[in-house]
Amino acid sequence: MSEFKLTRFAPTPSGFLHIGNIYSFIITHHLAKKNEAKVLLRIDDLDRERYKPRFVQDIFDSLDFLEIPYDQGPRDMADFEQNHAQIHRLPLYNKALEELRNKKVLFSCDCSRKKIEKMNPKGYYTGFCLRRNLPFDQPEITWRIKAKMHLDVPFKELNLGIVNGKLPGILTDFVVRKKDAMPSYQLTSLVDDIHYGVDLIVRGKDLWGSTIAQVYLSKFLDENNFAGNTFFHHPLIQGPNNQKLSKSSDVTSIQLLRKTGKKKEEIYGMIAEAIGLEQRPKNLEEFSGLIK
Ligand SMILES: [Zn+2]
């Protein structure tokens, strides 16, 4: 039965891929297969402060080394730069920002991160600029969407059905356009998923709040079915000493494991061990039926 048409891998090239990213790809691959959906590789590169070409190259190399296939998206670095980089979709992001602005759901804000932390120790936005009516078109100004903390946003979670999401405090009045005038992650991720027709979104539990923000945001954009999509938030793999894996500490990065002579089978074995499986699958397909 093909309930879904398209899902995606959406790595950010701000570091080398680690076993947690691969775990996410394994789940995505098997859910796609089970549902006869296609997989799109989408590289979220718009945050150019953290972007490095070698991290994009690393995505191709790691997928190739671990023999993880995908159906759509860039095949190599040149194809990526020419046809798939997010900068090519800047007009789409700006169109969405215009729609939001016309619907009068945005406000502009000149608060620094420091100032926000001073007003709220947890860094939750307190709505300081909500009624200041600062002009939208001026340099160094952030655009935020009016969104109250704990706002109810129901969405469809795979295996659970409709769940009641509540916007986390840290995403109160979240940013849709950054002060460098570029669209924020929440906006680009949403607009891309709508643009490509993604209807099954697989991501780590750390992005639960982003799902809520994006479903909320989607309701203000013209004609889209994003709020009808199905989501699957998978658990995160813990690193050594139960630490969260990150792209900046690369002890579990695929490129380092490869450099130290690890074979494909051993990397799959490490992932199986990290998620507590008794079996030791040697390749992508052997994970079928072993993971939920
Ligand atoms: Zn402000």
Side-chain angles (χ1 to χ4, degrees):
M1 190 186 72
S2 62
E3 194 181 340
F4 307 111
K5 287 191 185 69
L6 185 66
T7 184
R8 82 292 201 278
F9 303 148
T12 308
S14 58
F16 294 113
L17 291 184
H18 54 63
I19 61 168
N21 300 115
I22 303 304
Y23 172 52
S24 189
F25 296 170
I26 295 171
I27 296 174
T28 309
H29 170 81
H30 284 290
L31 282 175
K33 214 173 157 184
K34 192 171 150 191
N35 290 285
E36 295 171 35
K38 302 276 188 224
V39 178
L40 162 75
L41 171 64
R42 190 189 91 201
I43 301 174
D44 287 356
D45 67 313
L46 204 60
D47 188 353
R48 288 277 161 158
E49 271 169 42
R50 299 191 299 161
Y51 167 89
K52 298 266 185 323
R54 65 193 157 105
F55 296 146
V56 175
Q57 187 57 49
D58 173 67
I59 294 169
F60 295 116
D61 294 345
S62 300
L63 290 173
D64 192 47
F65 181 72
L66 293 168
E67 296 176 25
I68 300 175
Y70 55 95
D71 305 289
Q72 299 174 24
R75 304 321 298 188
D76 55 35
M77 196 68 196
D79 184 26
F80 169 71
E81 289 290 358
Q82 277 164 34
N83 306 307
H84 300 271
Q86 283 186 310
I87 200 77
H88 300 302
R89 297 189 293 285
L90 199 53
L92 284 181
Y93 308 140
N94 285 332
K95 182 174 161 275
L97 287 167
E98 269 320 296
E99 285 172 27
L100 295 170
R101 207 177 137 174
N102 291 337
K103 293 203 169 118
K104 308 212 182 306
V105 289
L106 304 185
F107 65 96
S108 42
C109 162
D110 62 1
C111 300
S112 64
R113 184 168 296 182
K114 231 182 197 167
K115 182 172 161 188
I116 292 170
E117 273 165 20
K118 223 174 188 177
M119 292 188 287
N120 182 300
K122 287 183 180 161
Y124 298 178
Y125 189 68
T126 57
F128 184 78
C129 299
L130 198 54
R131 284 180 192 84
R132 291 176 69 206
N133 291 318
L134 299 172
F136 283 99
D137 294 310
Q138 60 167 306
E140 299 288 300
I141 199 107
T142 297
W143 294 7
R144 295 177 175 275
I145 185 159
K146 297 171 194 169
K148 287 196 174 68
M149 175 160 71
H150 297 162
L151 180 91
D152 286 314
V153 183
F155 64 89
K156 206 188 296 165
E157 176 77 5
L158 192 71
N159 304 331
L160 292 178
I162 303 291
V163 294
N164 216 345
K166 285 191 185 302
L167 190 74
I170 197 70
L171 290 173
T172 306
D173 297 334
F174 57 93
V175 172
V176 293
R177 200 184 88 154
K178 299 181 291 179
K179 70 172 184 197
D180 62 1
M182 293 300 268
S184 72
Y185 161 76
Q186 302 299 356
L187 189 109
T188 59
S189 180
L190 168 65
V191 169
D192 279 353
D193 281 332
I194 294 172
H195 173 67
Y196 288 108
V198 169
D199 55 5
L200 171 66
I201 297 176
V202 181
R203 47 171 51 152
K205 283 206 159 112
D206 54 335
L207 289 175
W208 181 267
S210 290
T211 294
I212 295 165
Q214 290 166 19
V215 171
Y216 174 71
L217 194 52
S218 74
K219 295 182 182 170
F220 300 105
L221 296 181
D222 291 345
E223 291 166 52
N224 72 84
N225 187 40
F226 187 83
N229 282 353
T230 298
F231 295 82
F232 182 66
H233 295 87
H234 60 75
L236 299 177
I237 290 192
Q238 302 284 311
N241 307 320
N242 285 335
Q243 295 204 323
K244 194 186 160 194
L245 295 182
S246 82
K247 288 211 182 84
S248 43
S249 77
D250 62 3
V251 285
T252 64
S253 80
I254 307 308
Q255 65 99 38
L256 187 78
L257 294 169
R258 282 175 61 191
K259 246 191 238 166
T260 55
K262 288 264 187 295
K263 294 192 175 68
K264 184 184 81 176
E265 298 74 23
E266 293 172 279
I267 295 176
Y268 280 117
M270 281 178 67
I271 296 171
E273 192 180 349
I275 60 173
L277 289 181
E278 278 171 26
Q279 299 89 340
R280 289 291 173 269
K282 292 187 198 65
N283 57 50
L284 179 64
E285 291 316 321
E286 285 182 16
F287 272 90
S288 180
L290 298 178
I291 47 170
K292 281 275 169 253

